[in-house]
Amino acid sequence: MTDETWLREALALAEQNVAAGGGPFGALIVTGDTVIARGQNRVTRDMDPTAHAEVTAIRAACRDRGDFSLAGATLYTSCEPCPLCVSASLWARLDRVVFAADRHDAARGGFDDREFYELFGRDPGTWPTRVEAGPGDLPRFAPFDAWLAKTDRVRY
């Protein structure tokens, strides 16, 4: 199987999702020549802004594997992953991410992907959602102290 074969399947998943009332995004996760998970955009169906095709595929693959790491796997997606999905791919330790359409195509289709990429290059004080540190007198490192003291922690 080739990247083109897998991307064609991701694109077909995206088109099927549009026909079923969902967003125009599809993704699959492959190890070798085996698809271990498929995902479609479920944002409006599930009322979940994190239910992007890539994230739903990552969730399904991790459940299938019984592991939060997808090392050794490739994510094929119908569109360049947005910053949320790139982050999820990094956290999942995927080996590769291969996409068909890019962020500019997504913008032409009415989606914010390119805008969010540009947003992260700007001063957070200019973002539409305020992201700020809380008061300095909080015991902010206490959860990390607890984590570091835990001898049976699972590293990720």
Side-chain angles (χ1 to χ4, degrees):
M1 302 295 259
T2 66
D3 287 349
E4 182 179 342
T5 303
W6 298 124
L7 286 174
R8 286 186 184 282
E9 184 172 342
L11 289 163
L13 284 169
E15 287 188 61
Q16 292 164 8
N17 202 46
V18 170
F25 303 98
L28 53 145
I29 297 177
V30 176
T31 301
D33 283 339
T34 304
V35 175
I36 59 174
R38 290 173 176 82
Q40 293 170 305
N41 182 282
R42 300 289 190 220
V43 171
T44 57
R45 188 198 80 176
D46 294 354
M47 300 301 159
D48 178 353
T50 68
H52 293 199
E54 298 89 342
V55 173
T56 61
I58 288 168
R59 289 172 180 163
C62 288
R63 279 192 305 273
D64 182 68
R65 256 198 189 178
D67 195 347
F68 57 83
S69 173
L70 296 175
T74 299
L75 169 66
Y76 291 94
T77 180
S78 62
C79 188
E80 179 180 8
C82 72
L84 167 75
C85 296
V86 167
S87 296
S89 298
L90 293 168
W91 279 111
R93 308 298 194 248
L94 286 158
D95 282 9
R96 294 175 66 216
V97 176
V98 183
F99 59 87
D102 65 19
R103 65 185 77 173
H104 307 291
D105 296 319
R108 278 189 330 136
F111 291 86
D112 293 333
D113 304 49
R114 182 179 64 198
E115 186 176 320
F116 288 147
Y117 272 104
E118 292 169 358
L119 176 78
F120 289 125
R122 296 195 306 259
D123 177 354
T126 67
W127 294 1
T129 300
R130 288 175 47 178
V131 179
E132 56 193 28
D137 59 345
L138 294 171
R140 65 180 187 238
F141 202 77
F144 296 105
D145 284 334
W147 172 254
L148 292 171
K150 188 173 173 57
T151 58
D152 62 342
R153 71 182 176 266
V154 176
R155 294 184 184 272
Y156 60 96

